[in-house]
Each structure stands twice: as structure tokens, then as C-alpha cells.
Amino acid sequence: MSKNKVSNSSSKRGVIRNNDNKQSLGYPDIKHVVVLKLFDLAQKLISSITYTALGYFTYLSIDSLAGKTTIANVVLSYFLSKDNDYGLPWILAVIFFLWATFERKERLRKVEALHKHNRDLEKRIDPNRTNSGILPNGKTNPKDERL
């Protein structure tokens, strides 16, 4: 008798159950999961080191200019003076613009990261399913846009 058996519940999908190998069930190998998690961790570490370095270099730049009159001091004092009441809204507008830009990039990155996982789940449930044509990053396919 063969070690490979087709179970009754999974025969519609053609899943072959092998008692010696769980890979045929669609479970990822633990080695691959560990490697993927290590690469995710490496990416986060590199990102954290980059942001820390940028913060440190910003600190050094501010420290070297401390106590000196520069164009930045003149512009900043102009915007923050009590005579001008339109300086603060511009500063807030720039801050919120930068926040929105970074938030959008992060959201697109997360959508793209989850796209592969969703595609694999959809293929497991219904192998004949076709995609909607949306790009992996969540944007509309250029062929679908109207002029």
C-alpha cells in the first residue's frame, strides 16, 4: 500500500496527503519561515539604523549652528514672530504634508506585502479564480483608467 493517500474531503481539490511530508499539505517549511522572518528583521534593523543616523546627523547640524545667526534663524524668527499670524499655519501645513506623504508610502508598502499572502489564500480556496486587475501595490491598473 502506498504512503500517499488522497483524503475524501480534499479529493475535490486534488490535495495529496503524504504522511512523511507536510509540504504537500501547503504548509510552509519552517526553514523558509525562519529565513523570511530574518530578512524582515534585517530590513527593520536597517531602517531603524538609517533613521537613527539621520537623527544624529540632524543633531550634529543643529549643534554646529547653535548660537550663530543664519538665514534659517532669520526665516524662522519671521514666521514665529507675533506680528505675523500666518507663519504657524505654514509650518503646520508642511508638517502635515510630510506626515501624509510618509503615511501613504507606509500604507502602500503594507498593501503590497499583504498582496502575496492574499493571492496564496485565494489560490488555495479557488484555483480557477481570476484577479481583478488591481496592481500588487493597490493602485488601479493603467489600462482601466478613463481619460
Side-chain angles (χ1 to χ4, degrees):
M1 185 167 183
S2 171
K3 288 185 180 180
N4 294 337
K5 297 178 184 177
V6 177
S7 70
N8 294 335
S9 63
S10 63
S11 62
K12 293 178 184 176
R13 293 186 297 240
V15 175
I16 297 174
R17 295 185 183 247
N18 186 344
N19 295 335
D20 296 335
N21 187 2
K22 288 192 176 189
Q23 193 69 19
S24 63
L25 293 174
Y27 297 116
D29 188 17
I30 191 69
K31 293 175 189 174
H32 293 104
V33 173
V34 170
V35 169
L36 288 175
K37 292 298 180 183
L38 285 175
F39 276 105
D40 288 343
L41 178 65
Q43 180 183 7
K44 289 179 183 179
L45 282 174
I46 290 171
S47 177
S48 299
I49 290 169
T50 302
Y51 286 128
T52 304
L54 286 174
Y56 180 69
F57 291 137
T58 302
Y59 165 75
L60 288 178
S61 299
I62 292 171
D63 188 42
S64 68
L65 294 175
K68 299 178 182 174
T69 302
T70 61
I71 295 174
N73 286 352
V74 174
V75 171
L76 193 59
S77 64
Y78 174 73
F79 275 126
L80 295 178
S81 71
K82 294 186 179 184
D83 297 337
N84 292 337
D85 54 350
Y86 64 89
L88 185 61
W90 278 108
I91 293 171
L92 291 175
V94 168
I95 289 171
F96 284 123
F97 172 77
L98 292 174
W99 169 77
T101 303
F102 290 130
E103 183 69 25
R104 174 148 175 83
K105 286 182 181 180
E106 179 66 18
R107 192 172 338 118
L108 288 175
R109 187 188 67 78
K110 284 185 179 182
V111 167
E112 194 166 357
L114 289 174
H115 174 74
K116 290 180 183 178
H117 178 68
N118 287 345
R119 186 179 60 215
D120 291 341
L121 289 177
E122 289 171 354
K123 289 292 182 186
R124 284 185 192 170
I125 293 170
D126 184 9
N128 298 325
R129 180 183 170 115
T130 59
N131 65 7
S132 63
I134 294 176
L135 298 177
N137 61 4
K139 293 184 179 179
T140 304
N141 193 334
K143 296 176 185 175
D144 293 341
E145 292 181 355
R146 294 183 182 177
L147 297 175

